[in-house]
Amino acid sequence: MSSSSNSLNPSTLTPPSKPFATSLTSSLKCFRLETSPMNISDPSRITTIATITGTVTSLAPLQNIEEIKGNLTIRNTNIVDFTINLAISKIDGNLRILENSSLKDLNSFNELVEVNDIYIEDIKGYLKGFDKLEKVNTIDLKRLGMSLDAFQNLKFIEKNLQMDKAGLVLSIFPAFNKVVYIKGSLIMEDYAHGVGLFSELKYVGNNLYIRRTGINEIEGFNKLESIGSLGGGNFEISESMELTVFTGFNNLERVYGHMIIKDNPELPSISGFRNLHKIDKTLSIQNNNALPALTGLERLTSVSGNLGIIGLTVSNNESLIDCSAICNLLANGGVYDEVRIVN
């Protein structure tokens, strides 16, 4: 983070009389306070943007802080174990935990009930906690380690949930099982391992992408009713090289954008889509070499196409011998643009 003209250097601060503030400035030598000074009238609150970086190995001086009036960034530190019990219940800005190359486990934010966005990267071990958090704008998780056990009581995501390069050991993780809606996009990509059941999820307001993953099974999303909105929203499952079990999405009725199922060489079935009725743009099923039938698409009645582009494409699925599931769709003129079926 670039420094501003009114940044405070801890070495120039006159230690205040409050015991906490003295402990903070003496124990965290690389704790920078930017934008506005600490409000020492209430030692349980920091009225500033807080960045912790450098040779810091412990967050003990934050232990009694309850509220941060700004962002909290913990970046490029020497912290190994981030499991200290913090009292922070409110962060008015964003929480960023980034580039901490030694960090193994994270489980410190169990009192947090309010924050805007959460960005977490490079956790080698276990990501737990956030037990009281029910609502957030965005969650962005990258390069996770052993497991994802956090966010088990989260219900509402106002913008996006994104997970990249999440090398999880468990194929199904317990996080996000109480999330009811995601108003933006849900993205799991770049060889992520593991997927949540998303047992209560009913609505994704924009895109849902599961692509370039090492996921073995998708059994959840069984309350999800729609993907996208009148402005669009695409659904894609692609390049998931190890996907061998697919029984999820049983209640999905409508995709407002394009639906793409491609390049999943071990995918044996798409039977989970048995309640899908309408795709507002195009449907593409390509390069799924183990897929023998289109069972699951029997109730699909409308593929609206995209102004002259091929509306329905089924191609290069080497094992496909049964397309009877889409006979009614084709017989009733349910595809409003060109149809291309080639094996």
Side-chain angles (χ1 to χ4, degrees):
M1 181 180 293
S2 60
S3 59
S4 57
S5 60
N6 58 350
S7 295
L8 298 181
N9 184 341
S11 64
T12 64
L13 291 176
T14 301
S17 58
K18 297 285 185 179
F20 167 76
T22 302
S23 173
L24 180 65
T25 56
S26 63
S27 298
L28 286 182
K29 300 299 183 183
C30 297
F31 191 98
R32 298 201 306 270
L33 304 176
E34 301 177 357
T35 304
S36 61
M38 184 186 298
N39 176 8
I40 60 174
S41 65
D42 186 348
S44 69
R45 289 169 171 78
I46 296 177
T47 56
T48 186
I49 297 174
T51 299
I52 302 172
T53 187
T55 58
V56 176
T57 59
S58 172
L59 296 180
L62 287 180
Q63 198 162 8
N64 296 317
I65 290 292
E66 297 175 3
E67 181 176 348
I68 295 179
K69 294 282 191 179
N71 300 328
L72 173 59
T73 300
I74 303 168
R75 187 174 208 147
N76 195 23
T77 70
N78 292 334
I79 297 173
V80 175
D81 186 341
F82 195 171
T83 56
I84 188 172
N85 292 322
L86 297 179
I88 298 173
S89 62
K90 181 177 181 180
I91 300 173
D92 279 348
N94 303 326
L95 172 63
R96 297 184 177 94
I97 302 174
L98 312 171
E99 301 173 16
N100 299 285
S101 60
S102 300
L103 185 57
K104 293 182 179 179
D105 300 327
L106 172 59
N107 184 16
S108 290
F109 290 93
N110 289 309
E111 300 300 319
L112 188 64
V113 297
E114 184 174 340
V115 64
N116 288 339
D117 302 335
I118 296 175
Y119 303 90
I120 299 176
E121 298 179 2
D122 301 305
I123 306 292
K124 293 182 175 61
Y126 300 91
L127 174 55
K128 300 180 180 182
F130 299 92
D131 292 344
K132 294 184 178 180
L133 189 64
E134 295 189 356
K135 182 178 179 180
V136 69
N137 285 339
T138 291
I139 297 179
D140 192 335
L141 308 175
K142 290 182 171 64
R143 296 183 294 278
L144 300 185
M146 299 293 290
S147 71
L148 177 53
D149 300 306
F151 307 109
Q152 293 194 35
N153 292 306
L154 187 68
K155 295 180 180 178
F156 311 111
I157 299 177
E158 299 297 320
K159 293 182 180 178
N160 304 315
L161 170 58
Q162 181 161 349
M163 291 179 281
D164 301 342
K165 300 181 177 68
L168 305 176
V169 173
L170 298 177
S171 59
I172 297 176
F173 53 72
F176 309 118
N177 278 344
K178 293 184 180 179
V179 172
V180 176
Y181 67 68
I182 300 172
K183 289 187 177 180
S185 295
L186 170 57
I187 301 173
M188 293 177 283
E189 62 184 4
D190 291 330
Y191 222 74
H193 283 267
V195 62
L197 291 175
F198 290 89
S199 303
E200 299 299 321
L201 184 64
K202 295 182 178 180
Y203 169 74
V204 174
N206 197 7
N207 304 313
L208 197 165
Y209 294 144
I210 301 174
R211 55 193 184 186
R212 301 188 299 276
T213 78
I215 292 171
N216 301 113
E217 54 191 295
I218 299 177
E219 299 179 349
F221 301 93
N222 286 322
K223 288 187 178 180
L224 182 62
E225 298 172 357
S226 64
I227 297 171
S229 61
L230 292 177
N234 302 325
F235 180 28
E236 179 177 336
I237 300 176
S238 65
E239 299 179 69
S240 292
M241 301 301 183
E242 301 171 25
L243 182 58
T244 57
V245 177
F246 186 88
T247 57
F249 297 96
N250 293 170
N251 205 39
L252 182 65
E253 296 181 358
R254 184 173 182 179
V255 176
Y256 283 83
H258 303 280
M259 180 167 168
I260 301 168
I261 311 293
K262 70 174 184 177
D263 300 322
N264 305 290
E266 304 298 327
L267 179 67
S269 168
I270 55 173
S271 60
F273 296 127
R274 57 178 177 263
N275 281 308
L276 182 63
H277 293 286
K278 184 175 183 180
I279 300 171
D280 284 28
K281 293 188 178 178
T282 65
L283 171 60
S284 178
I285 303 172
Q286 297 178 278
N287 302 317
N288 304 289
N289 292 336
L291 185 67
L294 299 183
T295 304
L297 298 180
E298 288 84 355
R299 294 187 179 181
L300 184 61
T301 59
S302 175
V303 177
S304 297
N306 195 31
L307 299 176
I309 297 176
I310 296 173
L312 171 63
T313 301
V314 180
S315 67
N316 299 319
N317 303 288
E318 291 182 358
S319 300
L320 184 62
I321 57 174
D322 182 0
C323 293
S324 59
I326 59 173
C327 285
N328 288 335
L329 172 71
L330 298 177
N332 295 323
V335 182
Y336 293 92
D337 278 307
E338 184 179 346
V339 175
R340 182 173 180 265
I341 301 177
V342 180
N343 214 21

